[in-house]
């Protein structure tokens, strides 16, 4: 251990074991670092400590010194005596200090947990069968671990409002609330707008909104995630599926270039919800409500499933050969997308090189919120720059391409995941060219497309995006694509094969990354499989000086070069 | 080592087999005079014990409220994965205080192994293995019992606790006292 | 049966008579199948077949229901099943003999029926047997022709070209040879007794029955009766001697490869043999249609008396049939070596000794008691 580390490390005694933890940690964090758990409800690492649940009680002690002389007091074994505090202290508000002794498993601590659990359950309704939190509920878990298996209370439980509609996306059940105040602190500290508060006193304390001010913030659903019980539930996920049936898969939110880390929860090929995944360098533990709803698109109507050639359904193999014939035209152009993954952009760039086609791209901007929605509405613009698909920030329209079409310089146009009409191409221009469209949904200009082919959404494929911090982050496949939809990687690899550019291109991620790490300097030494879940920063090089649209938001400052 | 078993020495009468044969004939003749033990099934029904575990069914309480709140514990615990529930909100306004009820509830009786774990795990005592043992159909689909069929088979099972109704009463009482 | 001098009319009447007799015996054999199932079920405390019914007949009050409960219509159902089943002929069989075998199994017992008397009638002061043919060597014919039924099994087993069938056939042959000898020896004292001085033909069935007018053979020749009975079980292949079928080790013996109607013929032949065997034992040892030992016949010597003899004989035969069925559901099967030992080691010596003894006793009885 180096000198600097020593200064920041503190040695404490945890359950009779001397361990070294970073200074400034509290005991809950220290326990987590040691792979142990001090049970807690109100404490959240990304929020301030309020210390009101009393679940994290531990016994602490410090080495004894004689008050008069300041000499250490020794016991008969020649060791310094430990002065144990007679009353327990809460772990979340106790910062580690040198020589601090902690006991987490003696009778005193166990009694505390047992008592706290019993008090919490005194007024907690037996709603588990109808509660959406069941299965991931802290109270449920700790009750079985630290509580007793019967109730000693004969009194009626306090009646509080149930299924209160407090916002467009949230329903509150006050009986279930254990008054941990996490949601209140989240509003005050993270979104910095107070929505929630406690009214009444004692057992009758009730979480509520200010009358007339619904909890309609775009980050409101984070309170559902951090609620340790089922008091706050999401309207969208309410009564949809029990969490123990859902399989979480790591993914990346495509809402903006912030690259929010998410978990996609699915069962049997259907996505039920998206929750944030903690990444302290990107999104902490938060994500926007709008980003959570993106999954609805992938099962919505209008999905492009079966390949169509000239309005007729056709097998994918035959469709690909039709596309290849169109691509052999010397006057081809490609409209690429920042919604494609790094790997897809890489193969598309190869295809463009093979058929000598010009690559166009469209920038999508939106209003940022300074938190986790950046101004760039695409997840992977920097990926396109790094792979060399484009070299400049694209404009927000395709007028330049339109001019080329009008001039007859472009006869075949391949469009990936972009809306050409919105980007400024006229119907007449689209009719002039042989249009090949690869996208998730049927576009408005489907009539003028010669070939339509479906590609998977972000939930249906694996890949990686480069976010605004130049951080490459991978996402995994959560659900299978609709039957008949080939992955974009497969389509591009087969097209490369068919146009005779580079036969035998592998359509899977690992081999694609072998090529990527070789050919793109920024990705040197990286591979898909070894990429950590929290992503890896890559060197943007000279690209960093390009005029990106993002302004400062959580964990991002535009001039960090 | 082989163990040699001595054969019993037989008397002359025994060697003729005749006494044994006559003894056997006596036994079988007595049997012939006894009453039959056969149950002539479709007409005569077996007396099933109270704890008989037949087909799983859904039951209502004495007030006609469907007990199931679609917590899906049975779907989770079901070893052959015979149960499939689509949860949903309660449509009946009179029972809205329970909030949750199954939108669809299917038990595939072709998969069910009658283990009774669903009944054991049910927190609402809504799914009960009852004395339904004769399930047959000409189609596979008809043996996938839907919600309607499950309630039809289940009928009513009185509830002594009526947890939800008491809750509603308490809530109403609390509302009165505050106003 | 010289009712008239018209030969053609006589022939016609004979044919009608033969047809009726044959039909009745076939019917009895058929219902013996049902009786077997019923007796089996009663011994096993079951109701037995009681479901088969014919729509309109079963609607008759009381009777229809009764017939259904006793399984009366089961025979029709079984027969229809045999008729309408698919009739496969395995390719590896010898087609000609394969088809011939079931017929050979059925024909000999049917021929035997012709010489079995089942009652008497009185005509012009003479007592005449009620039989299709009153043959002087009746018993010999029964033994000779009856044994031919074996060829059905042997041929079927061979033609099936299947090791189990073949082993069954071999067993059938061995068993028949072993027990035929004991059977013949056991019958001889009866024949000697029937061939009283002053009478013709001890082999005539009629004379054998008449020789038991007061004393049934089973009472004063019990050893002969026992040997004959055991041999009869073996000959008809009934348990405990069903080495031929022996379903636990030979699947189904010679009938393994047979199905549908051809199997039905084998099956039916077995039950006809059973009926004939019962009738034969009744004739030889149970006094035929004679009333009870030491009791003179209570019926008059007229048409009514004839009917009584037939009924009485039939009742005795039914009793024997029941005994056969009862035995089957009581005893387990002998092992093959035991079957051979019983046949050669016990029955044949016993029959020989018995023959010698009665060959001495009968002349003495003749000389001093009459």
């Amino acid at each position: 251990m180096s000198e600097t580390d020593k200064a920041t490390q503190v040695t404490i005694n945890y359950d009779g074991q001397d361990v070294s933890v970073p200074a400034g940690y509290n005991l809950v964090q220290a326990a987590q670092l040691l792979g142990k758990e001090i049970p807690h409800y109100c404490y959240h690492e990304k929020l301030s400590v309020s210390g009101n649940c009393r679940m994290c009680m531990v016994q602490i002690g410090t080495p004894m010194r004689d008050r008069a002389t300041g000499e250490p007091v020794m016991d008969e074994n020649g060791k310094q005596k430990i002065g144990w505090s007679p009353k327990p202290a809460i772990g979340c508000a106790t910062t580690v200090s040198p020589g601090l002794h902690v006991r987490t498993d003696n009778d005193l601590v166990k009694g505390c947990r047992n008592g706290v659990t019993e008090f919490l359950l005194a007024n907690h309704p037996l709603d588990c069968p109808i509660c959406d939190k069941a299965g991931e509920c802290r109270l449920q878990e700790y009750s079985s671990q630290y509580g007793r298996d019967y109730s000693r209370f004969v009194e009626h439980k306090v009646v509080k409002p149930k299924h209160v509609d407090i916002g467009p996306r949230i329903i509150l059940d006050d009986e279930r609330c254990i008054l941990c105040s996490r949601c209140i602190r989240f509003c005050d500290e993270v979104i910095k707008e107070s929505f929630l508060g406690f009214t009444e006193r004692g057992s009758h304390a009730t979480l509520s909104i200010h009358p007339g001010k619904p909890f309609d913030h775009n980050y409101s659903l984070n309170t559902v995630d951090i609620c340790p019980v089922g008091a706050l539930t999401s309207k969208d996920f309410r009564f949809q599926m029990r969490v123990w049936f859902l399989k979480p898969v790591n993914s990346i939110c495509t809402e903006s270039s912030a690259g929010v880390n998410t978990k996609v929860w699915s069962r049997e090929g259907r996505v039920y919800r998206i929750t944030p995944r903690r990444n302290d360098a990107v999104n902490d533990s938060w994500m926007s409500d709008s980003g959570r709803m993106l999954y609805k698109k992938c099962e919505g109507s209008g999905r492009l499933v079966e390949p169509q050639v000239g309005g007729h359904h056709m097998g994918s193999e035959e469709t690909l050969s039709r596309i290849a014939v169109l691509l052999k035209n010397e006057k081809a152009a490609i409209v690429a997308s920042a919604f494609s993954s790094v790997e897809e952009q890489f193969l598309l760039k190869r295809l463009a090189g093979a058929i000598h086609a010009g690559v166009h791209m469209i920038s999508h901007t939106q209003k940022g919120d300074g938190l986790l929605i950046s101004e760039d509405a695409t997840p992977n613009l920097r990926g396109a720059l790094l792979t060399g698909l484009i070299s400049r920030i694209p404009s927000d329209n395709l007028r330049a391409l339109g001019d080329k079409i009008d001039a007859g310089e472009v006869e075949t146009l391949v469009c990936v995941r972009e809306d050409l009409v919105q980007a400024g191409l006229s119907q007449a221009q689209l009719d002039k060219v042989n249009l090949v469209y690869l996208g998730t949904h049927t576009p408005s200009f489907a009539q003028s497309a010669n070939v339509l082919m479906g590609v998977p959404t972000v939930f249906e494929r694996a890949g990686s995006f480069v976010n605004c911090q130049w951080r490459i982050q991978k996402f995994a496949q959560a659900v299978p694509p609709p039957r008949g939809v080939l992955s974009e990687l497969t389509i591009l690899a087969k097209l490369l094969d068919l146009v005779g550019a580079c036969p035998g291109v592998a359509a899977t991620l690992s081999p694609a990354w072998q090529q990527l790490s070789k050919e793109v300097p920024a990705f040197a030494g990286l591979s898909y499989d070894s990429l950590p879940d929290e992503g890896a920063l890559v060197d943007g090089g000279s690209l960093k000086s390009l005029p990106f649209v993002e302004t400062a938001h959580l964990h991002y400052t535009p001039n960090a070069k | 080592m082989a163990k040699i078993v001595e054969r019993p020495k037989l008397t002359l009468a025994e060697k003729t087999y005749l006494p044994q044969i006559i003894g056997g004939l006596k036994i079988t003749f007595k049997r012939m005079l006894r009453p039959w033990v056969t149950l002539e099934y479709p007409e005569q029904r077996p007396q099933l014990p109270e704890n008989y575990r037949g087909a799983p069914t859904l039951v209502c309480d004495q007030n006609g409220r469907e007990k199931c709140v679609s917590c899906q514990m049975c779907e989770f615990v079901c070893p052959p994965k015979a149960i499939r529930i689509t949860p949903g909100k309660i449509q009946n306004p009179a029972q809205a205080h329970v909030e949750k009820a199954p939108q669809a509830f299917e038990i595939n009786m072709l998969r069910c192994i009658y283990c009774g774990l669903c009944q054991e795990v049910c927190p609402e005592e809504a799914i009960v293995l009852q004395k339904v043992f004769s399930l047959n159909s000409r189609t596979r689909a008809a043996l996938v019992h839907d919600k309607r069929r499950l309630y039809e088979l289940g009928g009513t099972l009185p509830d002594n606790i009526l947890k939800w109704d008491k809750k509603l009463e308490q809530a109403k009482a609390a509302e009165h006292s505050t106003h | 049966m010289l009712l008239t001098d018209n030969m053609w009319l006589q022939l016609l009447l004979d044919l009608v008579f033969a047809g009726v007799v044959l039909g009745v015996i076939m019917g009895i054999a058929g219902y013996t199948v049902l009786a077997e199932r019923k007796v089996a079920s009663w011994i096993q405390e079951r109701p037995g077949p009681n479901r088969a019914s014919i729509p309109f007949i079963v609607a008759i009050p009381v009777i229809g229901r009764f017939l259904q409960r006793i399984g009366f219509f089961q025979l029709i159902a079984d027969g229809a099943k045999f008729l309408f089943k698919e009739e496969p002929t395995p390719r590896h069989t010898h087609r000609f003999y394969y088809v011939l075998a079931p017929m050979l199994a059925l024909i000999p017992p049917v021929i035997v029926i012709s010489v079995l008397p089942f009652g008497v009638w009185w005509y012009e002061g003479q007592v005449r047997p009620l039989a299709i043919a009153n043959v002087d060597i009746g018993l010999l014919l029964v033994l000779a022709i009856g044994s031919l039924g074996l060829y059905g099994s042997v041929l079927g087993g061979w033609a099936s070209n299947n090791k189990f069938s073949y082993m069954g056939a071999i067993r059938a042959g061995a068993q028949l040879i072993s027990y035929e000898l004991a059977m013949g020896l056991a019958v001889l004292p009866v024949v000697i007794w029937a061939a009283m001085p002053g009478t013709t033909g001890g082999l005539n069935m009629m004379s054998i029955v008449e020789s038991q007018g007061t004393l049934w053979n089973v009472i004063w020749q019990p050893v002969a009766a026992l040997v004959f009975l055991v041999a009869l079980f073996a000959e008809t292949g009934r348990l405990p001697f069903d080495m031929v079928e022996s379903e636990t080790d030979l699947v189904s013996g010679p009938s393994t490869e047979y199905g549908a109607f051809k199997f039905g013929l084998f099956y039916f032949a077995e039950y006809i043999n059973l009926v004939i065997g019962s009738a034969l034992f009744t004739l030889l040892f149970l006094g035929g249609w004679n009333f009870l030992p030491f009791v003179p016949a209570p019926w008059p010597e007229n048409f009514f008396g004839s009917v009584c003899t037939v009924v009485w004989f039939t009742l005795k035969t039914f009793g024997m049939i029941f005994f056969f069925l009862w035995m089957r559901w009581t005893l387990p099967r002998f092992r093959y070596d035991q079957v051979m030992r019983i046949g050669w080691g016990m029955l044949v010596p016993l029959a020989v000794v018995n023959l010698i003894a009665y060959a001495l006793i009968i002349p003495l009885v003749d000389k001093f008691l009459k």
Side-chain angles (χ1 to χ4, degrees):
Chain A
M1 198 178 284
S2 69
E3 283 296 311
T4 50
D5 275 354
K6 255 185 194 168
T8 57
Q9 293 280 343
V10 171
T11 303
I12 62 166
N13 185 291
Y14 189 95
D15 284 341
Q17 202 183 344
D18 281 329
V19 287
S20 170
V21 295
Y25 266 35
N26 60 45
L27 288 178
V28 176
Q29 283 174 307
Q32 231 157 36
L33 193 73
L34 301 173
K36 294 173 181 170
E37 191 192 27
I38 294 174
H40 56 277
Y41 294 112
C42 71
Y43 174 71
H44 190 280
E45 273 199 75
K46 294 293 161 192
L47 300 174
S48 64
V49 173
S50 73
N52 58 9
C53 75
R54 320 308 287 178
M55 190 64 186
C56 60
M57 297 258 226
V58 290
Q59 195 179 20
I60 55 172
T62 46
M64 261 196 200
R65 280 176 187 277
D66 192 292
R67 284 202 183 162
T69 60
E71 288 298 307
V73 180
M74 298 297 183
D75 63 4
E76 56 267 28
N77 294 333
K79 275 189 173 172
Q80 202 171 4
K81 269 193 175 172
I82 307 300
W84 290 103
S85 66
K87 283 180 161 186
I90 50 172
C92 65
T94 306
T95 312
V96 292
S97 58
L100 182 73
H101 280 59
V102 190
R103 280 182 186 157
T104 65
D105 58 354
N106 60 359
D107 288 343
L108 176 74
V109 175
K110 283 178 185 166
C112 286
R113 290 172 184 165
N114 190 282
V116 168
T117 303
E118 191 165 15
F119 275 125
L120 287 177
L121 291 177
N123 280 316
H124 194 83
L126 263 177
D127 272 355
C128 300
I130 59 162
C131 177
D132 279 322
K133 202 75 177 184
E136 53 179 14
C137 170
R138 284 288 179 90
L139 188 60
Q140 231 179 13
E141 288 164 14
Y142 292 158
S143 297
S144 69
Q145 285 175 44
Y146 307 110
R148 60 181 77 233
D149 52 3
Y150 60 94
S151 171
R152 294 192 291 175
F153 280 84
V154 291
E155 294 84 0
H156 283 310
K157 298 194 175 198
V158 174
V159 177
K160 288 185 193 174
K162 288 182 84 74
H163 46 91
V164 187
D165 190 347
I166 60 165
R169 288 175 292 279
I170 293 193
I171 284 192
L172 166 68
D173 190 311
D174 263 313
E175 284 189 350
R176 297 178 192 158
C177 177
I178 58 165
L179 308 171
C180 72
S181 79
R182 271 183 176 187
C183 49
I184 300 174
R185 278 177 282 146
F186 173 80
C187 292
D188 293 350
E189 294 164 16
V190 179
I191 60 181
K192 299 193 172 61
E193 188 178 353
S194 298
F195 286 98
L196 302 164
F198 289 134
T199 58
E200 310 279 341
R201 299 199 310 180
S203 308
H204 295 275
T206 307
L207 180 72
S208 50
I209 51 167
H210 190 275
K213 188 185 180 190
F215 187 22
D216 55 1
H217 196 272
N218 194 28
Y219 285 80
S220 62
L221 283 175
N222 288 305
T223 59
V224 173
D225 296 329
I226 59 174
C227 182
V229 292
L232 294 164
T233 49
S234 156
K235 276 185 189 171
D236 180 54
F237 184 60
R238 191 172 155 86
F239 302 160
Q240 290 305 303
M241 191 47 65
R242 306 316 300 240
V243 292
W244 53 75
F245 289 119
L246 301 178
K247 186 182 73 173
V249 163
N250 290 349
S251 190
I252 301 292
C253 181
T254 56
E255 193 186 17
S256 78
S257 63
V260 171
N261 289 214
T262 61
K263 274 183 183 165
V264 177
W265 301 74
S266 65
R267 182 191 186 195
E268 291 170 359
R270 189 183 150 195
V271 178
Y272 281 88
R273 67 169 180 180
I274 300 176
T275 58
R277 171 163 55 97
R278 185 173 159 186
N279 187 337
D280 291 346
V282 180
N283 59 320
D284 288 348
S285 296
W286 323 123
M287 82 178 284
S288 65
D289 293 1
S290 44
R292 290 174 200 251
M293 300 303 157
L294 289 180
Y295 77 89
K296 297 203 167 174
K297 273 189 193 168
C298 83
E299 60 184 25
S301 59
R303 275 302 294 271
L304 198 50
V305 181
E306 266 184 284
Q308 291 172 36
V309 178
H312 300 287
H313 291 295
M314 206 168 264
S316 48
E317 290 294 328
E318 204 179 337
T319 311
L320 283 170
S321 56
R322 295 287 183 96
I323 299 175
V325 170
L326 292 178
L327 287 183
K328 282 179 181 154
N329 190 319
E330 285 296 313
K331 295 174 180 174
I334 290 174
V335 177
S337 169
F339 286 95
S340 296
S341 71
V342 170
E343 302 80 11
E344 290 154 3
Q345 288 167 341
F346 176 66
L347 284 194
L348 191 62
K349 188 209 159 210
R350 283 185 148 195
L351 184 68
I355 60 173
H356 311 295
V359 176
H360 301 262
M361 224 160 135
I362 313 159
S363 73
H364 296 263
T365 53
Q366 62 192 5
K367 198 171 164 298
D369 63 359
L371 205 50
L372 284 170
I373 299 178
S374 70
E375 281 72 10
D376 187 349
T378 61
N380 199 24
L381 178 64
R382 282 162 180 80
L385 290 165
L386 284 171
T387 50
L389 191 63
I390 50 170
S391 51
R392 283 175 289 112
I393 302 281
S395 83
D396 62 351
N397 60 61
L398 290 173
R399 247 168 252 135
L401 178 64
D403 293 342
K404 278 189 182 175
I405 294 171
D406 288 337
E409 289 170 32
V410 172
E411 286 173 0
T412 295
L413 181 60
V414 179
C415 171
V416 183
R417 297 174 192 265
E418 291 289 2
D419 190 334
L420 295 174
V421 174
Q422 227 171 41
L425 290 189
S426 68
Q427 196 64 44
Q429 287 167 332
L430 292 178
D431 288 339
K432 262 187 208 169
V433 292
N434 294 318
L435 181 56
V436 176
Y437 178 78
L438 307 177
T440 56
H441 290 67
T442 311
S444 57
F445 50 88
Q447 290 297 328
S448 28
N450 295 48
V451 181
L452 289 168
M453 209 167 177
V455 290
T457 63
V458 66
F459 309 109
E460 295 155 1
R461 72 195 207 270
S464 53
F465 291 143
V466 180
N467 80 347
C468 59
Q469 302 166 328
W470 299 93
R471 178 181 293 273
I472 181 159
Q473 307 186 101
K474 63 179 178 182
F475 56 94
Q477 185 182 3
V479 292
R483 218 186 155 92
V485 170
L486 296 179
S487 83
E488 199 177 318
L489 274 184
T490 311
I491 293 172
L492 291 173
K494 287 201 170 162
L495 284 178
L496 275 171
D497 197 352
L498 286 169
V499 300
C502 28
V505 178
T508 49
L509 287 171
S510 298
W513 267 90
Q514 283 177 6
Q515 295 288 323
L516 256 175
S517 59
K518 244 185 263 169
E519 294 186 19
V520 180
F523 297 144
L526 290 178
S527 79
Y528 186 80
D529 299 320
S530 65
L531 201 61
D533 281 338
E534 65 269 19
L537 284 174
V538 294
D539 184 14
S542 60
L543 295 169
K544 282 188 175 180
S545 56
L546 290 173
F548 291 108
V549 292
E550 288 96 343
T551 58
H553 56 262
L554 192 70
H555 298 299
Y556 175 76
T557 41
N559 295 322
K561 283 172 187 175
Chain B
M1 251 195 48
K3 192 185 170 192
I4 294 165
V5 181
E6 285 283 322
R7 289 199 177 270
K9 287 261 181 256
L10 300 178
T11 63
L12 183 69
E14 280 170 346
K15 276 184 188 164
T16 64
Y17 300 122
L18 291 176
Q20 282 71 34
I21 289 174
I22 291 163
L25 287 172
K26 260 194 231 163
I27 289 171
T28 46
F29 194 80
K30 276 185 205 153
R31 286 269 156 186
M32 243 186 279
L33 304 176
R34 285 214 207 160
W36 300 329
V37 294
T38 311
L39 194 72
E40 291 186 45
Y41 167 63
E43 296 90 18
Q44 297 174 336
R45 294 284 169 155
Q47 281 287 321
L48 298 176
E50 276 311 303
N51 55 356
Y52 185 80
R53 294 200 312 219
T57 60
L58 290 177
V59 296
C60 294
D61 70 3
Q62 58 264 53
N63 304 328
R65 183 185 75 79
E66 63 170 315
K67 284 186 176 182
C68 177
V69 296
S70 67
C71 73
Q72 295 181 288
M73 285 301 287
C74 49
E75 182 177 358
F76 180 62
V77 81
C78 183
K81 299 197 190 305
I83 303 179
R84 173 54 57 109
I85 301 168
T86 311
K89 280 198 181 74
I90 280 193
Q91 308 295 334
N92 183 354
Q95 294 160 5
H97 61 291
V98 190
E99 297 185 46
K100 207 178 164 189
Q103 221 174 68
F105 198 121
E106 281 183 357
I107 303 183
N108 188 341
M109 292 314 298
L110 297 163
R111 302 195 73 156
C112 177
I113 56 168
Y114 304 87
C115 63
L117 283 178
C118 49
Q119 178 178 353
E120 200 167 313
V121 84
C122 182
E124 301 284 334
E125 297 187 352
I127 187 164
V128 182
L129 266 64
Q130 299 205 48
K131 295 180 182 177
V132 183
F133 61 88
S134 172
L135 296 167
N136 38 55
S137 163
R138 289 181 192 279
T139 61
R140 298 179 77 83
L143 284 173
V144 180
H145 287 173
D146 60 2
K147 190 175 154 182
R148 193 189 55 77
R149 177 102 178 104
L150 288 169
Y151 275 113
E152 194 178 281
L153 289 174
T156 300
L157 195 74
D159 184 351
N160 298 326
I161 300 169
L162 294 172
K163 168 179 120 183
W164 295 105
D165 294 349
K166 277 184 190 158
K167 252 187 117 155
L168 182 66
E169 277 167 32
Q170 283 168 18
K172 277 181 181 162
E175 210 172 321
H176 260 295
S177 62
T178 49
H179 288 307
Chain C
M1 294 182 56
L2 294 166
L3 276 171
T4 140
D5 294 332
N6 190 325
M7 200 178 72
W8 289 109
L9 182 62
Q10 180 68 43
L11 189 64
L12 185 70
L13 280 175
D14 279 357
L15 278 177
V16 170
F17 181 67
V20 169
V21 170
L22 210 61
V24 168
I25 292 194
M26 288 288 197
I28 290 172
Y31 276 96
T32 308
V33 178
L34 173 68
E36 170 121 281
R37 294 178 64 177
K38 278 289 190 186
V39 168
S41 61
W42 292 336
I43 286 176
Q44 293 159 2
E45 296 176 19
R46 297 187 281 117
N50 61 0
R51 289 304 161 105
S53 70
I54 295 175
F56 294 105
I57 298 176
V58 87
I60 301 168
V62 187
I63 300 168
R65 179 81 182 135
F66 172 75
L67 289 179
Q68 188 194 4
R69 294 295 295 177
I70 63 164
F72 188 78
F73 309 114
Q74 188 66 38
L75 181 69
I76 301 162
D78 287 351
K81 187 189 83 172
F82 278 132
L83 267 177
F84 291 114
K85 269 177 86 163
E86 188 191 355
E87 196 153 1
T89 307
R91 248 181 229 174
H92 55 78
T93 55
H94 194 299
R95 182 66 59 89
F96 178 73
Y97 296 113
Y98 177 83
V99 176
L100 187 67
M103 302 181 198
L104 276 188
L106 188 63
I107 291 169
V110 173
I111 295 174
V112 167
I113 289 171
S114 63
V115 296
L116 290 182
F118 46 87
V120 286
W121 59 296
W122 291 272
Y123 180 69
E124 292 172 353
Q126 272 187 306
V127 187
R128 291 165 180 271
L130 274 167
I132 297 172
N134 186 14
V135 185
D136 280 343
I137 52 159
L139 182 59
L140 205 57
L141 195 122
V142 168
L143 293 179
I145 304 285
S147 308
L148 285 179
L150 167 76
Y151 284 102
S153 292
V154 173
L155 204 59
W158 177 80
S160 291
N161 195 7
N162 164 319
K163 60 183 169 191
F164 294 121
S165 305
Y166 189 57
M167 280 156 78
I170 290 173
R171 284 185 181 188
Q175 189 171 310
L176 187 99
I177 291 166
S178 310
Y179 283 80
E180 191 75 25
L181 190 60
M183 187 187 240
L185 290 171
V187 166
L188 277 180
V190 175
V191 175
I192 297 170
W193 176 242
M196 280 177 286
T199 59
T200 51
L203 288 170
N204 185 304
M205 299 303 277
M206 174 77 183
S207 65
I208 290 174
V209 174
E210 285 195 324
S211 74
Q212 308 175 65
T214 50
L215 192 59
W216 296 0
N217 282 339
V218 72
I219 295 169
W220 84 283
Q221 297 191 12
V223 179
L226 181 69
V227 172
F228 185 81
L229 186 66
V230 174
L232 199 59
F233 269 97
E235 296 270 300
T236 51
R238 301 284 303 175
L239 263 161
F241 291 98
D242 71 334
M243 303 316 301
V244 181
E245 286 199 9
S246 188
E247 64 273 4
T248 41
D249 45 342
L250 292 186
V251 188
S252 189
S255 52
T256 303
E257 299 282 9
Y258 286 90
F261 203 67
K262 286 201 274 293
F263 172 79
L265 289 181
F266 270 123
Y267 192 66
F268 197 60
E270 187 190 328
Y271 284 92
I272 290 197
N273 274 325
L274 175 61
V275 173
I276 290 169
S278 302
L280 195 61
F281 189 81
T282 308
L283 288 170
L284 294 182
F285 291 99
L286 294 181
W289 49 85
N290 290 313
F291 188 54
L292 290 173
F294 312 114
V295 181
W299 46 74
E301 293 187 355
N302 55 19
F303 178 75
F304 174 70
S306 291
V307 173
C308 285
T309 57
V310 173
V311 169
W312 191 237
F313 173 78
T314 312
L315 283 178
K316 281 183 185 174
T317 308
F318 283 177
M320 272 313 291
I321 290 173
F322 172 74
F323 181 73
F324 267 91
L325 305 180
W326 182 18
M327 283 291 271
R328 172 168 181 187
W329 297 103
T330 302
L331 296 182
R333 181 181 303 123
F334 282 120
R335 223 166 47 221
Y336 188 63
D337 63 312
Q338 289 171 329
V339 170
M340 286 294 115
R341 206 178 59 232
I342 290 167
W344 292 106
M346 290 164 80
L347 292 186
V348 171
L350 199 61
V352 171
V353 170
N354 179 59
L355 173 62
I356 293 167
Y358 279 92
L360 296 173
I361 292 168
I362 290 170
L364 289 176
V365 170
D366 266 350
K367 196 160 190 137
F368 296 109
L369 291 186
K370 292 197 172 172

